[in-house]
Amino acid sequence: MSQPSKEHRKQALHLVRAAQKTLLYRAHLIPEADQEEIVRLAEQADPVANGKETEEPGAILTKLDALLNRHGGSYQRHPGWAESVETVAVAIILAIGIRTFFLQPFSIPTNSMYPTYHGMTYELNSLKEPRSVTEDAWRFVTQLKSTYEIVAPAGGKVRIPLSPSGGDLFAFKKIGSSLPVQLPMMTGRRSYPIQCGVGPGEQMVELPLNVPEDFSSVGEIILKTWFPDAAPLLRYNQGQKLGDWFTACKQNGTIRFEDNQMWLYLNHTFQPGEKVVSFDILTGDKLFVDRFSYHFTAPTPGDSFVFRTRQVPGLSASPESYYIKRLAGGPGDSLEIRGHQLFRNGALATGGIGFDNNNAKVGEYEGYVCDFPNQVYLGNTVRPEPGTTPAPETFRSDPHLLPHGHYFAMGDNSDQSSDSRFWGDVPGNAVVGKALFIHYPFTSRWGRAK
């Protein structure tokens, strides 16, 4: 009796598996006597594969190997790569099938459904004290954070160009992905040209701040860092106060027109190596979408549902994408907004956390908005007297009746959401499925989708 070597155990394991496959697929081609011999030798090789003491393990394996070479075909002659290719092919087929018919991964880039779901969010870092390496590593693992910093290479003043359009506080340009090969699913970047050393006698250096294309909070970050009292004025209903702040900044020289451009000067003179801005971008929620249920049940108001934009008439000119919104109503439903509340068929909308919390203005849920000037559906019908500003609680929209086979999509973060109020109903053939489970990041939101 001898203890089989590691090589013998490995060879025996392969030969036993090959014998099973050979008998399963090629028995009709093998004489009965040889079938019985394969079974006998495989039974003797099995203890070798399990590392048990056996008489002449090498001789047993040699006989079985020779017999399988005579009858085993591809199952014996190409053991390693054949099984690996087969395993990989089956795994790919299963993955495609699951993604197509059952579960589809989805990543949320924007905050139109905040705070129910998070798109990319940010956290400001101290300009003076660095975080510990341990804390940085933990935040990377649990929230896939990326740190963005601008450091002044030389002393002097810093200025940032203001946007001429008003869609964003600061001017930026879009650039493609940094990878050498550009593919349609790759997102680009927003590049903000921050300039340092722009005072008299200073050497100007441009420091581009490049962030993901879907990240639109740079203006808020700059104001919170250097003009914290002005940051709340970026809310949608603070236009008059924001205009007053701009006027005051022009008068005190914080905002200047130079080089055919309006610039915001930061109220600080920087030293070399001093941080201008530092923040972390945290990944948006990653979830699984249930593509199966809607084949048997109709979408229900309150569902967080995912749909393709190409089939939505108001979005058909945009590149193909997927949106996630709250399903506010379905075929035959009538929707309207009164004050900050959403009504379905004359009653306060219920059936989802977004409805309940927005209608009651709970926490960070700030209610529904119907007074954007370009709001096509559920737009405000209040006509104020000249020179007066109506109270938000008096706002009211015309009812919107949903036709057969169509759904109305609304974001829980109503004042920051592009949704059916602007581009219309979602046809049934655009619906992909409903949110099922948030699998990353590892925060309090991890778990069943709401």
Side-chain angles (χ1 to χ4, degrees):
M1 304 287 286
S2 62
Q3 188 77 25
S5 65
K6 182 179 179 180
E7 187 60 35
H8 278 156
R9 292 199 304 271
K10 183 177 178 181
Q11 184 184 9
L13 182 63
H14 156 64
L15 288 174
V16 170
R17 289 176 177 173
Q20 293 170 344
K21 282 193 172 185
T22 299
L23 293 175
L24 181 63
Y25 294 108
R26 299 175 63 84
H28 62 290
L29 301 176
I30 304 174
E32 185 174 346
D34 285 351
Q35 291 185 44
E36 293 175 355
E37 182 68 5
I38 290 174
V39 171
R40 186 182 69 81
L41 291 173
E43 289 175 348
Q44 293 180 1
D46 189 61
V48 179
N50 292 319
K52 298 179 180 179
E53 291 188 355
T54 312
E55 291 185 3
E56 300 182 352
I60 295 171
L61 300 180
T62 299
K63 292 178 182 178
L64 181 57
D65 184 49
L67 192 56
L68 289 177
N69 272 327
R70 195 159 71 245
H71 298 296
S74 61
Y75 305 110
Q76 166 62 13
R77 292 180 187 138
H78 306 289
W81 66 262
E83 289 191 359
S84 298
V85 169
E86 179 181 320
T87 301
V88 170
V90 170
I92 291 174
I93 292 170
L94 285 175
I96 293 174
I98 291 172
R99 189 185 189 281
T100 302
F101 300 106
F102 296 98
L103 293 176
Q104 177 175 332
F106 183 81
S107 182
I108 299 179
T110 69
N111 282 295
S112 68
M113 288 291 284
Y114 183 89
T116 311
Y117 307 127
H118 285 206
M120 285 181 288
T121 54
Y122 70 88
E123 289 187 5
L124 295 179
N125 297 327
S126 170
L127 299 182
K128 303 294 184 182
E129 300 176 2
R131 255 199 326 263
S132 70
V133 175
T134 303
E135 186 180 357
D136 261 358
W138 176 250
R139 285 162 61 82
F140 179 80
V141 171
T142 58
Q143 300 186 62
L144 201 64
K145 69 93 183 175
S146 300
T147 300
Y148 295 80
E149 287 186 348
I150 293 293
V151 178
K157 301 294 289 185
V158 168
R159 68 180 185 178
I160 309 172
L162 292 167
S163 171
S165 63
D168 195 285
L169 180 61
F170 296 113
F172 65 90
K173 61 180 179 180
K174 292 184 179 181
I175 57 178
S177 168
S178 59
L179 296 176
V181 178
Q182 302 295 306
L183 297 176
M185 70 287 295
M186 293 179 179
T187 58
R189 316 285 282 177
R190 290 186 179 205
S191 182
Y192 294 84
I194 297 176
Q195 294 185 355
C196 180
V198 291
E202 298 173 0
Q203 183 65 41
M204 193 276 287
V205 178
E206 186 163 291
L207 307 169
L209 174 61
N210 298 330
V211 298
E213 186 175 349
D214 290 321
F215 185 74
S216 58
S217 300
V218 168
E220 186 175 324
I221 288 170
I222 297 296
L223 290 192
K224 280 188 174 181
T225 303
W226 295 105
F227 305 93
D229 293 339
L233 304 182
L234 293 177
R235 304 300 299 177
Y236 88 99
N237 58 355
Q238 299 294 313
Q240 182 60 52
K241 292 182 179 179
L242 183 62
D244 294 341
W245 181 78
F246 268 74
T247 300
C249 287
K250 291 177 183 177
Q251 292 172 350
N252 63 29
T254 304
I255 292 179
R256 309 175 196 175
F257 186 77
E258 298 171 342
D259 304 325
N260 297 317
Q261 171 71 51
M262 295 296 296
W263 301 85
L264 176 67
Y265 276 74
L266 303 188
N267 50 6
H268 183 76
T269 300
F270 291 85
Q271 301 301 316
E274 195 173 0
K275 294 178 183 178
V276 177
V277 66
S278 177
F279 60 96
D280 290 342
I281 294 181
L282 310 179
T283 184
D285 290 342
K286 300 182 185 300
L287 49 81
F288 290 120
V289 176
D290 172 11
R291 301 190 62 149
F292 186 71
S293 297
Y294 284 167
H295 290 293
F296 303 96
T297 60
T300 304
D303 287 354
S304 296
F305 77 127
V306 174
F307 55 93
R308 298 184 186 87
T309 60
R310 185 63 60 83
Q311 282 84 4
V312 180
L315 296 172
S316 58
S318 304
E320 174 73 299
S321 184
Y322 291 87
Y323 282 1
I324 181 170
K325 304 289 181 183
R326 184 79 58 191
L327 198 155
D333 286 337
S334 176
L335 300 173
E336 60 180 311
I337 294 175
R338 304 175 196 168
H340 67 270
Q341 296 178 316
L342 177 68
F343 287 76
R344 185 189 314 114
N345 301 325
L348 208 60
T350 59
I353 186 175
F355 301 144
D356 298 337
N357 289 348
N358 269 312
N359 286 332
K361 282 195 171 183
V362 174
E364 295 182 271
Y365 293 87
E366 298 183 342
Y368 292 100
V369 174
C370 66
D371 64 328
F372 283 118
N374 57 341
Q375 200 166 320
V376 180
Y377 304 91
L378 304 187
N380 180 33
T381 59
V382 174
R383 299 292 180 264
E385 295 294 328
T388 65
T389 301
E393 58 268 18
T394 65
F395 291 166
R396 184 164 181 157
S397 70
D398 285 329
H400 175 65
L401 182 63
L402 283 153
H404 175 73
H406 286 72
Y407 302 91
F408 202 85
M410 296 183 71
D412 289 350
N413 190 8
S414 187
D415 65 340
Q416 300 291 321
S417 174
S418 172
D419 52 37
S420 287
R421 294 170 299 162
F422 302 93
W423 32 255
D425 305 333
V426 178
N429 63 354
V431 176
V432 173
K434 62 180 178 179
L436 182 65
F437 192 92
I438 299 175
H439 63 85
Y440 191 84
F442 303 120
T443 66
S444 58
R445 297 183 307 282
W446 188 91
R448 186 177 64 85
K450 298 178 181 179

